[in-house]
């Protein structure tokens, strides 16, 4: 698939993108989310949760403090945030590896320190600011597999 | 006097306390891991759990020394078992269970958020007084309705970032480092004019929920667009916005529920501007306000032991099979 980039003009649009992706995810998918503070990673995961069928009245908060938040949808969603970590001597201590190989979808904010230790990444997403307006973000999907060709089609519409 | 030993290890700090009859703090020792976290820029959970293991027994000894009591003087052991970092919670729970088993003492599992709210009772609030509690820390921003029997209901919470998290993140954005709360508090105390007005998110929403993620964006954007504003001014204006929202929402909830008592607890309640503003407004409106001293607002075991007493005298005990749980299990009540 390669590379696909899209511009969103509001938090709602970013959530809708997330919801579309949520519909394409399978157990065992692990997706690192890269981007500066406030670039919309958590906002996007709120949409993914919706797309995975997590109940509407479940609040998807930032996991920066709790590190891992877990939700049950069509398949489980593990929302991880490693913001408060900047060294990780042993990935296994976080028990993240167990989650990634497990039955759910793992979305990781601030994944830099675990990236080298992650299994093959089927998709990663980058969030960038577009300084033309406070509510514009450029969201890029990067994948080496063709599993997400259909996703790109769906995002286009 | 009934003495309860309290143990807390849900997040950064290892703490042990002994409290008599729910209010007399006989010992309260907190080993703060801030030094480690400063070095590593945040929490490293593996280190946090290991540090809890290193600290817990010396802190326990220290607490017994401080109180002049021995384990024979203890009637029951209360321990935080949810919510928090699992690896950290397990350390405290294991120590508590071991002591309970060896010395044949009852075990009481404590909910960390309920313990924070109980801190107001260590500052003069009578247990069981119906009131609204604002719990604001790095990991939580919740409004609770506390009712007669000591039951609590979640009536509002953050939809994204917690208030304390916003302080830490904005502090990092502005280059002040971790933890952000104390730095921004100090900075703001010296800055009397900012000329900046950040948005007050959710202020006019009909519910009691909060949203702080937009403030990061506002701060970031302001910094890029207005190079004339100093970091001190931005930090101050940011704090004003957070304080304004926390105070206004808490008062709205108190009014809507027809209550006249309010408590403010959790690490963010150590913020001096927040304390001042709450006091000013509650004085004006004739509301009773309870804000514990800072050392009882941040994580500590005295609040755990104190609440443990209330459970103990109501015979609300737990078996030695008690486990830990990462999430709070509280469901937002529709108002
Ligand atoms: N087009 C947009 N897409 C996403 N968020 C937007 C957009 N426009 C504005 N926003 C706002 O930007 C903020 C994004 O914050 P969010 O917490 O999702 O970022 P984050 O990348 O998770 O940050 P952090 O690194 O702190 O975890 C939200 O307040 C959101 O409402
Ligand atoms: Mg986030």
């Amino acid at each position: 698939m390669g590379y696909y980039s899209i511009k969103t003009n509001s938090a709602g649009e970013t959530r809708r993108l997330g919801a579309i992706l949520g519909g394409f995810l399978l157990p065992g998918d692990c997706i690192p989310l890269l981007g500066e503070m406030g670039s919309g990673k958590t906002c996007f995961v709120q949409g993914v949760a919706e797309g995975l069928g997590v109940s509407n009245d479940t609040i998807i908060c930032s996991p920066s403090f709790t590190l891992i938040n877990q939700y049950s949808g069509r398949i489980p969603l593990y929302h991880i945030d490693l913001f408060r970590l900047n060294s990780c001597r042993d990935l296994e201590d976080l028990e993240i590896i167990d989650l990634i190989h497990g039955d759910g979808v793992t979305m990781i904010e601030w994944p830099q320190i675990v990236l080298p230790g992650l299994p093959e990444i089927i998709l990663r997403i980058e969030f960038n600011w577009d300084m033309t307006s406070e509510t514009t973000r450029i969201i890029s999907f990067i994948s080496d597999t063709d599993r997400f060709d259909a996703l790109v089609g769906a995002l286009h519409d | 006097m009934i003495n309860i030993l309290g143990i807390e290890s849900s997040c950064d700090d290892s703490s042990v306390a002994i409290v008599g009859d729910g209010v007399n703090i006989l010992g309260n020792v907190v080993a703060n891991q801030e030094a480690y976290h400063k070095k590593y820029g945040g929490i490293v959970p593996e280190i946090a759990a290991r540090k809890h293991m290193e600290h817990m027994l010396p802190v326990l000894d220290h607490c017994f020394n401080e109180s002049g009591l021995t384990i024979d003087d203890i009637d029951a052991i209360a321990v935080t078992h949810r919510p928090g970092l699992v690896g950290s919670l397990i350390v405290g729970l294991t120590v508590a269970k071991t002591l309970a088993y060896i010395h044949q003492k009852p075990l009481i599992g404590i909910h960390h958020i309920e313990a924070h709210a109980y801190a107001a009772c260590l500052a003069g609030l009578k247990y069981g007084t119906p009131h609204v509690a604002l719990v604001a820390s790095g990991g939580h921003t919740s409004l609770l309705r506390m009712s007669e029997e000591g039951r609590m209901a979640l009536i509002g919470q953050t939809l994204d970032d917690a208030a304390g998290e916003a302080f830490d993140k904005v502090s990092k954005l502005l280059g002040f480092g971790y933890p952000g709360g104390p730095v921004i508090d100090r900075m703001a105390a010296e800055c009397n004019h900012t000329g900046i007005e950040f948005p007050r998110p959710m202020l006019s929403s009909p519910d009691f929920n909060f949203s702080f993620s937009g403030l990061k964006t506002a701060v970031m954007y302001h910094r890029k667009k207005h190079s004339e504003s100093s970091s001190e001014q931005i930090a101050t204006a940011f704090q004003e916005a957070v304080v304004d929202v926390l105070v206004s929402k808490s008062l709205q909830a108190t009014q809507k529920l027809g209550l006249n008592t309010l408590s403010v607890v959790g690490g963010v309640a150590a913020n001096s501007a927040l304390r001042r503003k709450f006091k000013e407004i509650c004085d004006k409106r004739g509301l009773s306000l309870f804000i514990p001293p800072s050392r009882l607002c941040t994580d500590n075991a005295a609040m755990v032991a104190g609440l443990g007493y209330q459970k103990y005298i109501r015979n609300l005990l737990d078996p030695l099979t008690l486990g830990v749980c990462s999430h709070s299990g509280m469901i937002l009540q529709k108002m």
Side-chain angles (χ1 to χ4, degrees):
Chain A
M1 168 193 153
Y3 185 95
Y4 178 73
S5 211
I6 194 165
K7 194 188 249 187
T8 65
N9 292 307
S10 70
E13 281 186 33
T14 297
R15 263 183 225 114
R16 271 197 293 286
L17 277 191
I20 295 171
L21 173 67
F24 282 86
L25 295 175
L26 298 174
D29 285 348
C30 169
I31 299 173
L33 308 171
L34 294 123
E36 272 181 86
M37 211 185 280
S39 59
K41 302 178 293 294
T42 298
C43 180
F44 183 85
V45 176
Q46 291 170 341
V48 171
E50 193 190 315
L52 282 169
V54 173
S55 104
N56 271 342
D57 41 63
T58 304
I59 295 168
I60 313 293
C61 285
S62 165
S64 297
F65 216 86
T66 48
L67 301 166
I68 301 176
N69 290 345
Q70 185 180 334
Y71 305 97
S72 46
R74 169 170 64 80
I75 38 182
L77 169 63
Y78 302 103
H79 185 191
I80 297 176
D81 186 334
L82 305 178
F83 175 73
R84 301 209 299 157
L85 280 91
N86 55 14
S87 76
C88 184
R89 299 196 313 198
D90 191 350
L91 197 54
E92 274 159 35
D93 279 319
L94 284 170
E95 289 166 11
I96 286 180
I97 284 297
D98 297 343
L99 290 183
I100 291 169
H101 289 308
D103 51 349
V105 166
T106 319
M107 314 280 303
I108 312 182
E109 298 188 40
W110 297 101
Q112 285 79 354
I113 64 158
V114 294
L115 277 181
L118 288 180
E120 61 160 323
I121 291 164
I122 45 131
L123 174 68
R124 69 194 178 99
I125 307 177
E126 290 180 5
F127 297 77
N128 283 291
W129 290 70
D130 173 347
M131 289 312 281
T132 50
S133 116
E134 197 171 336
T135 59
T136 307
R137 305 285 189 278
I138 295 162
I139 303 177
S140 310
F141 297 78
I142 301 132
S143 173
D144 298 330
T145 71
D146 45 20
R147 219 187 95 198
F148 289 98
D149 287 351
L151 169 70
V152 172
L155 292 177
H156 248 314
D157 305 331
Chain B
M1 192 149 75
I2 292 173
N3 296 321
I4 308 292
L5 180 75
I7 298 178
E8 157 68 41
S9 67
S10 63
C11 195
D12 307 19
D13 305 323
S14 317
S15 178
V16 175
I18 298 172
V19 172
D21 289 344
V23 287
N24 303 309
I25 300 175
L26 306 171
N28 185 23
V29 181
V30 182
N32 197 292
Q33 301 190 358
E34 206 173 280
Y36 300 99
H37 296 148
K38 267 218 175 91
K39 188 166 160 211
Y40 290 100
I43 284 195
V44 182
E46 179 254 352
I47 290 184
R50 185 147 43 81
K51 284 297 153 199
H52 279 301
M53 264 185 263
E54 258 170 46
H55 284 155
M56 202 44 96
L57 295 181
V59 167
L60 183 71
D61 272 347
H62 192 145
C63 179
F64 275 117
N65 287 341
E66 193 175 295
S67 65
L69 301 180
T70 70
I71 188 79
D72 297 330
D73 302 312
I74 300 298
D75 293 283
I77 296 164
V79 59
T80 305
H81 74 119
R82 77 184 304 184
L85 300 174
V86 168
S88 300
L89 286 167
I90 285 174
V91 177
L93 183 63
T94 305
V95 170
K97 282 183 179 178
T98 308
L99 289 172
Y101 180 72
I102 294 176
H103 300 283
Q104 294 292 300
K105 308 282 181 194
L107 180 72
I108 301 158
I110 294 292
H111 194 293
H112 182 69
I113 299 187
E114 193 181 358
H116 266 306
Y118 187 82
C121 300
L122 296 171
L125 176 66
K126 190 172 168 295
Y127 185 70
T129 307
H131 70 284
V132 168
L134 169 68
V135 183
S137 64
H140 310 277
T141 303
S142 306
L143 274 170
L144 304 168
R145 175 192 196 152
M146 310 298 293
S147 54
E148 293 82 356
E149 309 83 20
R151 273 213 301 267
M152 60 174 182
L154 181 67
I155 57 171
Q157 69 162 79
T158 182
L159 302 177
D160 39 56
D161 296 4
E165 174 182 348
F167 270 95
D168 284 343
K169 287 188 170 171
V170 165
S171 173
K172 186 150 182 172
L173 270 179
L174 297 174
F176 298 144
Y178 178 94
V183 192
I184 292 181
D185 194 352
R186 241 177 289 124
M187 205 87 55
E190 282 163 22
C191 176
N192 29 33
H193 181 70
T194 70
I196 309 167
E197 175 98 354
F198 284 126
R200 269 51 172 168
M202 308 285 289
L203 204 53
S204 49
S205 74
D207 52 34
F208 301 124
N209 292 331
F210 301 95
S211 166
F212 293 108
S213 78
L215 275 173
K216 290 181 296 207
T217 320
V219 165
M220 186 107 128
Y221 208 71
H222 185 93
R223 204 168 150 79
K224 289 186 178 162
K225 290 264 146 142
H226 301 271
S227 52
E228 75 281 3
S229 301
S230 69
S231 296
E232 287 75 10
Q233 286 171 321
I234 296 176
T236 307
F238 157 79
Q239 178 178 285
E240 281 169 0
V242 176
V243 166
D244 200 15
V245 174
L246 290 174
V247 171
S248 307
K249 283 265 164 177
S250 305
L251 288 165
Q252 283 168 21
T254 313
Q255 192 170 22
K256 172 128 186 219
L257 294 171
L259 296 169
N260 55 18
T261 306
L262 184 62
S263 73
V264 187
V265 295
V268 176
N271 181 279
S272 58
L274 185 75
R275 299 172 83 94
R276 208 177 322 113
K277 181 117 185 222
F278 262 113
K279 184 163 184 334
E280 212 175 275
I281 295 198
C282 288
D283 280 352
K284 209 186 299 172
R285 299 208 189 165
L287 299 171
S288 322
L289 173 70
F290 294 87
I291 312 182
S294 297
R295 74 196 151 79
L296 297 175
C297 285
T298 49
D299 288 349
N300 67 88
M303 64 191 195
V304 176
L307 179 59
Y309 166 82
Q310 302 296 346
K311 308 259 180 213
Y312 177 74
I313 59 172
R314 289 165 179 80
N315 205 28
L316 300 168
L317 309 176
D318 287 294
L320 284 176
T321 51
L322 182 71
V324 302
C325 184
S326 63
H327 54 86
S328 80
M330 294 193 297
I331 294 162
L332 188 63
Q333 310 285 309
K334 293 249 153 59
M335 297 291 295

